[in-house]
Amino acid sequence: MSQRRIAKRFAAAGESKLLIPYITAGDPDLETTLALMHTLVKAGADVIELGIPFSDPMADGPVIQAACERALKNKVSLVQVMETVKRFRETDNDTAVVLMGYMNPVERLGYAKFAELAAQAGVDGVLTVDMPPEEAAELVEELSSRELDCVFLLSPTTPDARMQQVFNMASGYIYYVSLKGVTGAANLDTDAVATKVEHIKSQTSIPVAVGFGIRDAASAAAISQAADGVVVGSVLVSIVGEHGQDKDTMHKTLFDMVNGMRLAMDDIQVTA
Amino acid sequence: MNTATKPADAPAIGSMSDNYPDKNGHFGIYGGSFIAETLMDPVSELQEAYEHYRKDPEFIAEFEWELKNFVGRPNPLYHARRWSDEGEGAQIWLKREDLNHTGAHKINNTVGQALLARRMGKKRIIAETGAGQHGVATATVCARWGMECIVYMGEEDIVRQAPNVFRMKLLGAEVVPVISGSKTLKDALNEAMRDWVGNVDDTFYIIGTAAGPHPYPTMVRDFNSVIGREIKMQSMEHMGKLPDMVVACVGGGSNAIGAFHPFLDDKDVRLVGVEAGGDGLETGRHAAPLSAGKPGVLHGNRTYLMEDDDGQIIETHSVSAGLDYPGVGPEHAWLKDIGRCEYVAATDTEALDATHKLCRIEGIIPALESAHALAYAAKIAPDMSPDINIVVNLSGRGDKDINTLADIAGITL
Ligand SMILES: Cc1ncc(COP(=O)(O)O)c(C=O)c1O
């Protein structure tokens, strides 16, 4: 088996940090999602987190809730999301794709079938928000046996004792949630994040990406000084939501935002 | 447990069948803690606190004192003689949770959780509510102990249950309308969870039913088990034996599990949970996950859910806001699978008929939720022998529902 895509991206990054944009699949439809994925790559994405729409996104703020509602209007399913990844893979074999979502659609499909379809589609990793390591053994087993990475969250409230448990199960990268809150919250404290990420990195060799609260080039650049990767979600999803009717503007605005982050992150690397 | 003991001598919290759940909150394959990482720490803090205080004699004594002096327990087990006579079948007994302070069983749980919140030093309380009974019960204990109270309530339920919204406000609570999703109870729960994630340091989330992540299903069950313990004792007093059947409505399942749990080891007592059949199970427009749903994961636990083929939660339908929930407590899911409890459904129409009948022949206005349990008892009692005793848990009073009843009758109040 060749090296996994996520690991490859981290290995190839050198001094640069990974840019990991999130969009909700099927918002407003899957054709648009596929096109947006390519735009994200052009703008400098290393990994794409593709949200699986869910009716009850408990850990998400209003922006991603609305995206889920838009996607579910067309009854976008988990299987269709994976088919979209398969189509993305027809022309892109380098950008890693991580599916991010909630447990119930996965439960409904069945762990083994989900893992099988994900692997066939060219998915690289899976992050289920409401599945802590304590409940995850079976799913991790199914995913790992197919060379899929299992991304887990750490948060400001995670005590050291539990961190070890997360390290034991996680692969690909650790997703450090930068703040106590749902996605789209605005109370980001860069210094506190840096301290915490350093603490995490002193205990594990798994790369650490930071997400929640990153909304512009400046915050992306600031976070990228401490972390191995920067996850950006709500600000991108709101661009998609805002320009739903006007695809050209949607792509251009999204490109500018993500590329602006890319440039700012890389600049900082150079001057630092 | 000696069924004849006085309640004061009985263990107050966590009575029987204590081997379930396991230490991670699993009832068989159900239950557990399916929550975002940020909530894992406050939830385990809660697990530890509850594990400690449920065995603490002082805590138990204070809980009992509050149940007696603030809630007004024990409430009666009342022989509905006219109803029983009219059916010419089994005897129907009503466990009068409607006579509790605030008018429903919900206060048993909020008193327990508020006492726990106080001991944990949490001063900001959040809750979700559907019918508004849990919201009122939470606002009540917050007023009683001087705690800040924020209640999330679906916009649709705010309309259906207007009197309870006003009661909460009178009691000093802030009622936050929830406009996401189906704008009912499940969405209120989502919103409360989101609030909790953002305020973990000072906030205690009082969940109103036997669902949510571990330890909630166990804790809510334990605080409500006083219902079943009193039924046991009062049955011995009035019937000289245990009842043949205990019937309770099931929304999230808190009044039912409270009534059932002390009877789990009494295998001769049939335990029947009645879900909301809405327009009828065959129409798909109902709120009966145990009768017509599938296992899945929602709101922190694995349980039976109303969902579509893609695993999306679907909208539920019930005339009673308090039963309008697509999930159910995980212990019920397990009790269904192992066959210890039976689960059936009563339609809106059956529940409404039972409501009117209880008003007319017993002089009691039941909550629409409780009327589902009554409807089932009314259906089966006439075919049973008069020496059979059925206890119906009358989980709440119906004053909150008068607008709904008037609407259905085409009357503007
Ligand atoms: C009177 C009454 N009974 C029953 C219920 C349903 O909840 P549970 O199934 O948790 O008892 C409610 C919920 O609001 C209620 O108000």
Side-chain angles (χ1 to χ4, degrees):
Chain A
M1 187 78 200
S2 61
Q3 197 186 17
R4 297 184 189 185
R5 262 185 218 98
I6 296 175
K8 233 193 222 164
R9 296 301 297 219
F10 278 106
E15 288 294 287
S16 172
K17 302 301 175 71
L18 264 53
L19 179 54
I20 311 178
Y22 166 100
I23 53 173
T24 303
D27 170 28
D29 55 63
L30 287 165
E31 283 309 314
T32 307
T33 299
L34 180 61
L36 288 175
M37 289 172 80
H38 290 299
T39 296
L40 293 173
V41 174
K42 283 193 204 103
D46 298 289
V47 178
I48 295 174
E49 283 190 358
L50 201 53
I52 306 163
F54 184 49
S55 54
D56 295 81
M58 270 174 300
D60 285 297
V63 170
I64 295 178
Q65 287 172 43
C68 285
E69 284 180 21
R70 288 193 294 269
L72 290 176
K73 257 194 204 124
N74 303 324
K75 288 189 79 49
V76 167
S77 71
L78 173 53
V79 171
Q80 289 173 330
V81 173
M82 292 190 283
E83 284 165 1
T84 306
V85 176
K86 199 170 195 167
R87 290 175 60 201
F88 175 73
R89 282 277 168 259
E90 289 169 7
T91 54
D92 188 320
N93 201 28
D94 300 319
T95 310
V97 176
V98 171
L99 296 183
M100 179 169 183
Y102 294 81
M103 270 317 292
N104 202 49
V106 175
E107 290 262 323
R108 187 62 198 256
L109 194 55
Y111 294 175
K113 189 168 177 200
F114 167 63
E116 193 56 45
L117 290 175
Q120 281 170 14
V123 167
D124 300 290
V126 173
L127 166 52
T128 38
V129 182
D130 52 350
M131 173 74 113
E134 283 84 343
E135 303 283 354
E138 216 181 302
L139 180 61
V140 168
E141 167 78 36
E142 294 290 351
L143 294 170
S144 304
S145 69
R146 292 170 179 86
E147 299 281 321
L148 293 166
D149 286 321
C150 307
V151 179
F152 282 96
L153 302 168
L154 287 179
S155 90
T157 60
T158 309
D160 280 3
R162 265 180 53 77
M163 278 194 194
Q164 207 51 55
Q165 213 174 338
V166 173
F167 300 148
N168 291 341
M169 286 213 159
S171 58
Y173 56 94
I174 303 270
Y175 185 143
Y176 178 66
V177 174
S178 66
L179 48 82
K180 297 174 192 166
V182 293
T183 54
N187 45 333
L188 183 64
D189 176 348
T190 314
D191 290 343
V193 170
T195 309
K196 195 73 183 222
V197 170
E198 199 176 321
H199 179 64
I200 297 168
K201 288 180 67 66
S202 71
Q203 301 173 70
T204 180
S205 57
I206 306 172
V208 179
V210 172
F212 283 40
I214 296 157
R215 46 186 55 251
D216 51 27
S219 49
I223 292 293
S224 76
Q225 288 192 296
D228 302 308
V230 175
V231 186
V232 193
S234 294
V235 67
L236 306 183
V237 174
S238 55
I239 290 173
V240 177
E242 211 172 298
H243 302 290
Q245 303 310 316
D246 179 358
K247 295 287 150 67
D248 289 344
T249 313
M250 183 197 291
H251 280 272
K252 185 175 180 321
T253 316
L254 195 72
F255 178 90
D256 289 348
M257 174 61 79
V258 174
N259 195 239
M261 291 175 169
R262 174 83 273 167
L263 294 175
M265 285 164 62
D266 291 349
D267 257 343
I268 295 264
Q269 292 313 310
V270 174
T271 55
Chain B
M1 179 178 167
N2 177 353
T3 50
T5 44
K6 300 197 304 290
D9 300 336
I13 301 173
S15 54
M16 313 175 62
S17 294
D18 260 343
N19 5 350
Y20 288 96
D22 73 10
K23 73 175 188 1
N24 293 319
H26 296 112
F27 301 88
I29 65 164
Y30 302 105
S33 301
F34 293 86
I35 45 176
E37 180 58 33
T38 310
L39 288 180
M40 286 304 288
D41 193 51
V43 164
S44 53
E45 184 194 355
L46 179 61
Q47 283 166 9
E48 276 161 34
Y50 182 59
E51 212 33 63
H52 173 77
Y53 286 113
R54 72 188 292 199
K55 297 182 208 122
D56 173 27
E58 252 178 60
F59 182 84
I60 293 170
E62 190 178 354
F63 180 59
E64 287 197 330
W65 192 94
E66 293 295 332
L67 288 183
K68 179 167 185 276
N69 296 290
F70 189 61
V71 176
R73 305 198 73 98
N75 56 48
L77 180 65
Y78 175 77
H79 192 181
R81 272 183 211 282
R82 288 191 66 203
W83 190 314
S84 308
D85 290 349
E86 199 193 83
E88 296 179 356
Q91 303 307 306
I92 296 196
W93 300 77
L94 304 176
K95 179 56 180 164
R96 298 291 307 274
E97 292 299 305
D98 62 314
L99 294 179
N100 292 340
H101 178 39
T102 73
H105 70 288
K106 299 282 180 189
I107 190 87
N108 303 323
N109 170 49
T110 58
V111 164
Q113 289 199 48
L115 290 176
L116 196 58
R118 275 164 63 78
R119 278 169 172 69
M120 292 173 71
K122 308 276 183 184
K123 297 203 160 58
R124 179 177 179 271
I125 302 291
I126 58 171
E128 86 295 339
T129 198
Q133 287 303 106
H134 175 60
V136 168
T138 304
T140 299
V141 294
C142 288
R144 162 98 175 75
W145 282 296
M147 299 186 282
E148 185 186 354
C149 181
I150 295 119
V151 180
Y152 291 92
M153 187 167 189
E155 207 172 42
E156 188 164 315
D157 291 335
I158 287 184
V159 176
R160 300 198 262 192
Q161 307 284 325
N164 271 345
V165 177
F166 189 62
R167 289 167 81 197
M168 285 184 261
K169 289 182 179 166
L170 278 178
L171 291 160
E174 181 190 345
V175 181
V176 181
V178 176
I179 53 166
S180 57
S182 60
K183 304 178 178 62
T184 60
L185 180 55
K186 82 172 172 77
D187 309 283
L189 224 148
N190 292 339
E191 215 49 51
M193 287 273 186
R194 291 179 186 123
D195 177 314
W196 198 17
V197 175
N199 299 285
V200 283
D201 297 328
D202 65 343
T203 297
F204 189 106
Y205 180 13
I206 300 190
I207 296 186
T209 192
H214 178 57
Y216 284 101
T218 307
M219 180 166 69
V220 176
R221 170 196 80 194
D222 291 346
F223 290 143
N224 270 305
S225 288
V226 63
I227 303 172
R229 284 198 306 276
E230 285 180 10
I231 294 175
K232 254 187 162 171
M233 196 194 62
Q234 292 165 328
S235 297
M236 295 308 292
E237 208 173 284
H238 296 308
M239 310 162 197
K241 57 181 179 177
L242 294 183
D244 298 282
M245 188 188 282
V246 179
V247 184
C249 68
V250 178
S254 67
N255 87 88
I257 202 68
F260 295 171
H261 196 258
F263 288 98
L264 289 183
D265 296 334
D266 301 301
K267 298 287 191 242
D268 293 336
V269 181
R270 279 177 67 189
L271 304 171
V272 184
V274 187
E275 296 190 294
D279 293 344
L281 292 184
E282 68 290 349
T283 66
R285 291 173 50 82
H286 55 80
L290 289 167
S291 306
K294 293 215 168 60
V297 170
L298 180 71
H299 292 152
N301 65 95
R302 183 178 282 116
T303 187
Y304 280 86
L305 298 175
M306 306 258 307
E307 56 174 10
D308 67 15
D309 291 342
D310 300 328
Q312 306 297 346
I313 306 308
I314 56 180
E315 280 187 30
T316 51
H317 297 273
S318 172
V319 68
S320 69
L323 301 185
D324 222 346
Y325 180 64
V328 61
E331 191 164 5
H332 287 293
W334 176 69
L335 290 169
K336 172 191 159 78
D337 281 11
I338 64 170
R340 176 60 188 98
C341 299
E342 301 157 57
Y343 296 91
V344 297
T347 63
D348 284 356
T349 310
E350 289 169 328
L352 288 165
D353 289 349
T355 299
H356 288 292
K357 185 164 164 189
L358 196 73
C359 292
R360 297 290 174 82
I361 71 173
E362 295 289 350
I364 298 169
I365 304 176
L368 284 174
E369 291 80 12
S370 325
H372 287 71
L374 275 173
Y376 180 72
K379 189 145 87 181
I380 58 165
D383 295 330
M384 295 174 140
S385 144
D387 56 9
I388 297 284
N389 292 298
I390 301 176
V391 173
V392 175
N393 192 32
L394 198 70
S395 56
R397 67 174 184 233
D399 307 48
K400 69 183 175 62
D401 295 315
I402 55 172
N403 287 341
T404 305
L405 293 172
D407 264 2
I408 291 169
I411 298 164
T412 313
L413 293 184

